[in-house]
Amino acid sequence: MSVVAHSSRRAVLTGLAGSVAGCAATPPVPLAAGFAPRRIAPILMEPERIIRITVCTRPFRPAGPRLDVETVGESRVVHNYGHGGSGWSLSWGSSAIAARKAMALAEVAGGPPVVAVIGSGALGLTSALQLQRMGARVTIYARERAAFTRSMRATGSWTPDSRIADADRVSTEFPALWEQMARETYATHQTYLGTEGDPVVFSARYMLSGGAALPRSPEPPPIRTGPGIKPIRFAEYRLDGLAPRSIPLPASASPFPVGETRMVSAMQFTVAELAHRWEPEFLSQGGQF
């Protein structure tokens, strides 16, 4: 679910929180003596300021994304879907795997590689671009253009293991495959840093602990229940050293009434801007919708 208020996402995550840059493989270090981070301004976020609430489904598969090859009629189909809440975060790496499989099939068939891509969301566009970079002629078939797909309703955070699979349903090969997709996508997204429109940025986020207990609404029942069912969390141990780690903030720099505040610089996508980049690139290389 995405909740959009009058405060823009960038204002909430970066403008009000200060400007904090991050880089890959940043080791956890203590704050230097005399370091005075910019004080975080309180954020006015009241229910009456919400202007839109959107809800859509996540294409979750307990065993993880589907990336196999299937024969449908007279066509060979390479699947690339079912990434749960990690479609944007695994897009480039997952699409590279699918594109290589499609090109291998085209090579066996002989002749120039001609490929149809179904869908124009994050996975469809990155699949089409990866195929073009490998020399294929690509046509995208889609009910709607990128701006109207479910991909555009995503939060836009780099969350490569967000509801990606159930821990007791994945194959033994999946962790390494997931790491490959995550690392390739993370590296490709970084090529957009500092470019016009800021399609990818690093924004400050804060983790609070040790505060007074606040009243909470009853939590909704879990969508899936049963013995042994639990979501997989890979990033904590397979991507160690890739993304920046959190650092503690002194009490003087935090307005939060809690015992401890930690800050981390996390990758954030402006999903609409990325779509505006990818569609023209696809068309400029001879692609068709």
Side-chain angles (χ1 to χ4, degrees):
M1 181 178 71
S2 174
V3 179
V4 183
H6 287 297
S7 297
S8 70
R9 180 181 287 136
R10 175 173 300 182
V12 172
L13 296 176
T14 57
L16 294 176
S19 177
V20 182
C23 59
T26 301
V29 295
L31 292 176
F35 173 74
R38 186 173 175 181
R39 184 169 178 80
I40 308 164
I43 301 172
L44 177 60
M45 297 292 282
E46 300 293 340
E48 59 269 17
R49 295 175 63 84
I50 297 174
I51 59 175
R52 185 175 70 252
I53 298 176
T54 58
V55 180
C56 65
T57 58
R58 287 181 172 179
F60 170 77
R61 303 181 74 248
R66 187 176 181 185
L67 290 165
D68 61 308
V69 180
E70 180 184 12
T71 299
V72 180
E74 297 181 354
S75 300
R76 296 285 279 168
V77 176
V78 180
H79 295 291
N80 185 21
Y81 69 88
H83 297 71
S86 301
W88 283 98
S89 302
L90 298 177
S91 56
W92 286 108
S94 180
S95 293
I97 293 171
R100 285 191 289 268
K101 291 182 178 182
M103 293 299 286
L105 293 174
E107 183 177 352
V108 171
V114 179
V115 184
V117 171
I118 300 175
S120 61
L123 273 298
L125 283 174
T126 52
S127 292
L129 290 169
Q130 293 281 32
L131 284 161
Q132 285 182 329
R133 295 171 186 181
M134 296 177 188
R137 182 157 57 89
V138 186
T139 299
I140 293 178
Y141 293 86
R143 181 176 58 189
E144 56 228 342
R145 296 291 282 267
F148 305 101
T149 63
R150 291 175 179 174
S151 290
M152 294 302 116
R153 303 176 192 174
T155 305
S157 301
W158 190 71
T159 53
D161 58 3
S162 174
R163 297 303 301 169
I164 186 62
D166 279 343
D168 59 344
R169 297 290 295 275
V170 298
S171 66
T172 55
E173 297 81 16
F174 184 74
L177 179 68
W178 172 87
E179 182 176 358
Q180 175 187 339
M181 292 188 289
R183 289 186 177 276
E184 184 167 351
T185 305
Y186 190 83
T188 305
H189 277 310
Q190 287 197 84
T191 65
Y192 293 95
L193 289 172
T195 60
E196 185 178 358
D198 287 333
V200 177
V201 297
F202 276 87
S203 59
R205 300 184 187 182
Y206 302 90
M207 293 157 283
L208 314 177
S209 61
L214 300 175
R216 300 180 63 185
S217 302
E219 294 189 3
I223 296 175
R224 303 179 68 246
T225 59
I229 294 178
K230 56 184 179 296
I232 258 185
R233 302 297 294 179
F234 288 126
E236 296 175 359
Y237 67 96
R238 293 200 70 97
L239 299 182
D240 185 42
L242 178 66
R245 291 189 177 184
S246 65
I247 58 173
L249 290 183
S252 60
S254 172
F256 304 113
V258 296
E260 182 183 15
T261 301
R262 299 186 68 87
M263 178 185 70
V264 65
S265 186
M267 181 179 283
Q268 183 84 24
F269 317 130
T270 306
V271 293
E273 182 62 28
L274 280 176
H276 292 159
R277 292 291 191 89
W278 294 347
E279 278 196 345
E281 180 181 344
F282 170 70
L283 294 170
S284 70
Q285 299 303 312
Q288 293 182 323
F289 280 94

